[in-house]
Structure formats: structure tokens, C-alpha cells
Amino acid sequence: MAPAHGHGALAIGSCELLLDLARSRRILFFGGKGGVGKTTVSAATALALANEDRRVLLVSTDPAHNLGHLFNREIGPRPVRLAPGLDGLELDPAATVRDHMSDVSGALHSLMPVQMHAEIDKHVALSRDAPGMQEAAILEKMAEIVEQGRKDYEHVIFDTAPSGHTARLMALPEMMTAWTEGLIQRRERADRFAEFVRGLGSDSDMAEDIVGEKNSAAEKESRIRAILNRRRLKFAHLRDALADPELTSFVIVLVAERLPVMETIELHDQLRKAGLTIDCLVVNKRLPSGTGEFLEERRAQQEIHLHTLGETLPDVSSEHLDLVAKDIAGLTALQEFSQGLQD
Ligand SMILES: Nc1ncnc2c1ncn2[C@@H]1O[C@H](COP(=O)(O)OP(=O)(O)O)[C@@H](O)[C@H]1O
Ligand SMILES: [Mg+2]
């Protein structure tokens, strides 16, 4: 990009930086507006790493699921082989919420008397559509994928949903950790009450009764606490992984137009506030230079918007990828596009 960005040595169209970044991080997120090329560029990056004999998992968290479209095949919630060294999966938000809810109601059933189960099921069914439920379920799944993926793969690459959705998701580990901690503290107070009642002594019949009741209640309390604790640890691990700049980086993909540049600046700020490190901006679909007057004018327009981007985010370096003439669909086309990352 322009020398003002500190990466002036990089020729336009070269992408050493993105690939270098991808090589040096175990977890890489691609985010940005719809249609800018998140799926294409994240898949091309994953493929370039796999071509270097690294084991890579590509994960789509976008409900639009164009990973399957790109590879011309069905991709489900379990990893499937996309190319040598490259596995991929698509998180289905609806299915993720369904699994999550059945886990929750299972746990509640085991803790509550049978006559309450119908009531619990009604409550669980209602909360399926509650705000934030889908995000919480996806986040929990993401925590599992990151944990397992770090064991099974050298790189886990996330192709995320369009900007707003992803920004909310990234702020969530912090909130969920705080929320479960609050619940646990309330549980602890309840446990202390049980101890206090037990401390009343055993010579009083009344105390005996209360203790009997409280004992089984205390058992349930501690089981609830164990469940909450596991959940808290899951979210806390994810938060720690996301906030570790040596481990995780976020790449924002954009096109050189006015609104995408403004949205990139906004997304950058939201992600920073959520504790993420943004190391690279990928400016995709750049008009190739030297292609006639109209295109030169269009390219000059792009320069104006990129100037704004550079002025506002001077510390984040960027990579420019030219608009290519043919569709990028299927493994062969992706291989070719991915080759462009190494030139
Ligand atoms: N550099 C490029 N040149 C030409 N077409 C591109 C380029 N990058 C992406 N595309 C095309 O743009 C469309 C949207 O890309 P996609 O990766 O699905 O975007 P997103 O995942 O951000 O919604 C696709 O048809 C894709 O083939
Ligand atoms: Mg996509």
C-alpha cells in the first residue's frame, strides 16, 4: 500500500504480509462486510498454508455458508477434507442453538423434580428465540472448536459473518464470563446459607429438618455450580485465546469504496474494544492498473478512499488483491487465486 502505511516495500498485488501473518498465528479470523471476499480470501489463505504441508481447519460461522458454494460441495458441522491438509466445516446457527438448548434442558431435567420438566421445556423453547441466544450458542461451539482445533490442527481459520454480527460475537466471551461469574457468586451465597443453617446444631428438631432439606439442596447447588464453572472456564479460555496477540489475529477484508472503508474503521474500533488485535487489512477486488481510462478513473477513486483508511488506521498494514477476470469457484480456481498470495 502507500508508503505512509509503513509497508511501502510491498508491491501492490503482493501478499507476503497476509501469508506471513497466517503462518505465524494459530488462529486467524477474517471479517468484513458481506460480498467483499471473506470466504474467498480466507479459503485461499487456508489453501496456501495447506500447500505448505501445514494441517489447516477452515471454519465458517456465517449463516450464509458460502464455503460450500465455493468448493461446490456439501460441508456440514463436522470437518470434511477439502484438499490435502485442508479440512473445513460450517457452523449452522439453527442446529447449534438446537444442540445447545437440548444440553441445557438435559442439565435442568437432571436437577429439577419430574413434575417441573414440562415447565422447563416450555421455558427452554421460549428462550430459543431470545436475543443473544444464537450468539451464545455459536460462541460456545467456537470455544470448543478452538480448543479441539488447537490439538488437531496447526492453524484454525475462521470465515466469519458480516461485520455487525461478528463484532457482537467477539465482545461476547468477556460478557459471558462476567455473567457466569455473577451466577456462581450468587450460588456461593446460597451455599453459605446452607452452611449457616447446618451450624445451628443438631439438637434442635427444626434445625435437623432444615439441614436435611438443605443437604440435598446443597448437592444440587454444587452441581449447578460445577456446570456454570465449566461454562465460565470455556468462555474464559476462548477470551484468553482471542486476546493473545501471538496466538490470534483478526484480518478485515474490504473493497476500496466509501462505505466499506467507513465500516472497516468502525469494525476495527469495535474489535479493538473487544480486546482483539487487527494485524492486516485486505483490500480486495482492486482494479488492476493500466487498463484504460475509465478503469484508471475508477482506480483513482479507490486511492481516495484508501487514503482515508490509511490516515485513520495508520498502524494497521494492508494487502491489495486485484479484481480477477474470472469467477473464483471450485478448487482449481481457488488454487490459482491462492497462488497470487505467494507472488
Ligand atoms: N479478487 C476477486 N476478483 C474477482 N472476484 C472476486 C474476488 N474476490 C472475491 N470475488 C468474488 O466476489 C463474490 C463474493 O466473495 P465472497 O468471498 O463470497 O465474499 P464474502 O464471503 O465476504 O461475502 C464471489 O462471487 C467471489 O468469487
Ligand atoms: Mg462468505
Side-chain angles (χ1 to χ4, degrees):
M1 184 151 183
H5 287 74
H7 281 267
L10 280 170
I12 283 176
S14 101
C15 209
E16 273 163 59
L17 177 71
L18 174 60
L19 212 48
D20 275 349
L21 179 68
R23 287 186 188 112
S24 64
R25 300 294 187 281
R26 299 286 309 277
I27 306 167
L28 200 58
F29 283 88
F30 285 84
K33 231 171 132 61
V36 293
K38 293 179 297 298
T39 301
T40 309
V41 178
S42 61
T45 306
L47 193 59
L49 290 178
N51 286 341
E52 295 177 354
D53 286 332
R54 297 157 185 260
R55 278 169 302 121
V56 187
L57 178 66
L58 180 60
V59 182
S60 161
T61 63
D62 186 351
H65 284 332
N66 19 43
L67 213 55
H69 299 150
L70 175 58
F71 285 93
N72 288 323
R73 57 170 296 179
E74 286 266 320
I75 298 174
R78 313 242 158 281
V80 294
R81 184 47 59 101
L82 297 174
L86 176 61
D87 288 354
L89 67 87
E90 290 180 338
L91 284 188
D92 177 359
T96 308
V97 172
R98 260 196 320 274
D99 288 355
H100 178 75
M101 291 327 252
S102 84
D103 284 355
V104 169
S105 72
L108 288 175
H109 279 192
S110 74
L111 291 166
M112 302 292 182
V114 179
Q115 62 267 29
M116 281 186 70
H117 288 189
E119 191 61 34
I120 290 169
D121 290 343
K122 218 163 75 191
H123 184 78
V124 168
L126 280 176
S127 52
R128 179 168 305 164
D129 301 318
M133 186 49 77
Q134 193 167 306
E135 279 95 344
I138 288 186
L139 196 71
E140 185 148 15
K141 209 53 198 207
M142 235 160 90
E144 285 162 17
I145 289 171
V146 165
E147 199 175 334
Q148 190 59 38
R150 282 172 70 184
K151 291 183 195 135
D152 299 345
Y153 298 89
E154 287 163 89
H155 300 273
V156 182
I157 294 184
F158 284 94
D159 167 24
T160 73
S163 319
H165 191 262
T166 298
R168 276 201 307 281
L169 198 64
M170 291 297 138
L172 219 57
E174 194 72 48
M175 275 162 55
M176 292 300 284
T177 308
W179 184 71
T180 41
E181 257 158 23
L183 278 178
I184 289 165
Q185 272 165 21
R186 258 180 280 158
R187 293 287 162 205
E188 270 165 5
R189 280 202 288 279
D191 267 12
R192 280 203 292 280
F193 176 71
E195 264 166 40
F196 166 77
V197 173
R198 228 172 284 128
L200 285 176
S202 54
D203 42 12
S204 140
D205 282 355
M206 189 191 74
E208 192 83 305
D209 278 358
I210 298 173
V211 168
E213 216 171 83
K214 287 294 165 191
N215 261 342
S216 69
E219 247 166 60
K220 280 180 184 168
E221 290 289 349
S222 72
R223 283 180 62 194
I224 292 173
R225 208 139 46 92
I227 291 171
L228 286 176
N229 233 333
R230 263 206 308 279
R231 217 164 129 77
R232 182 185 62 87
L233 278 179
K234 229 190 231 181
F235 289 129
H237 280 153
L238 179 65
R239 184 200 53 196
D240 291 348
L242 295 189
D244 180 351
E246 312 252 292
L247 189 67
T248 306
S249 185
F250 205 105
V251 175
I252 305 179
V253 185
L254 72 148
V255 292
E257 287 166 17
R258 188 166 163 268
L259 278 177
V261 162
M262 283 161 61
E263 283 195 27
T264 296
I265 293 164
E266 210 170 286
L267 178 62
H268 173 269
D269 287 352
Q270 288 168 336
L271 293 171
R272 284 289 300 275
K273 281 195 194 107
L276 278 121
T277 310
I278 302 95
D279 287 302
C280 185
L281 309 171
V282 170
V283 184
N284 190 26
K285 305 191 188 185
R286 280 285 267 153
L287 295 178
S289 54
T291 41
E293 205 173 303
F294 170 80
L295 287 182
E296 282 308 326
E297 252 178 69
R298 194 65 233 174
R299 196 179 156 86
Q301 187 73 64
Q302 290 189 334
E303 298 296 346
I304 292 170
H305 298 308
L306 293 179
H307 183 74
T308 306
L309 187 69
E311 295 268 282
T312 318
L313 303 178
D315 298 331
V316 192
S317 32
S318 56
E319 288 295 352
H320 292 201
L321 299 176
D322 278 352
L323 180 69
V324 300
K326 294 218 184 88
D327 286 345
I328 308 159
L331 190 57
T332 314
L334 187 63
Q335 277 286 14
E336 206 172 300
F337 187 72
S338 164
Q339 216 58 47
L341 298 179
Q342 344 236 359
D343 291 344

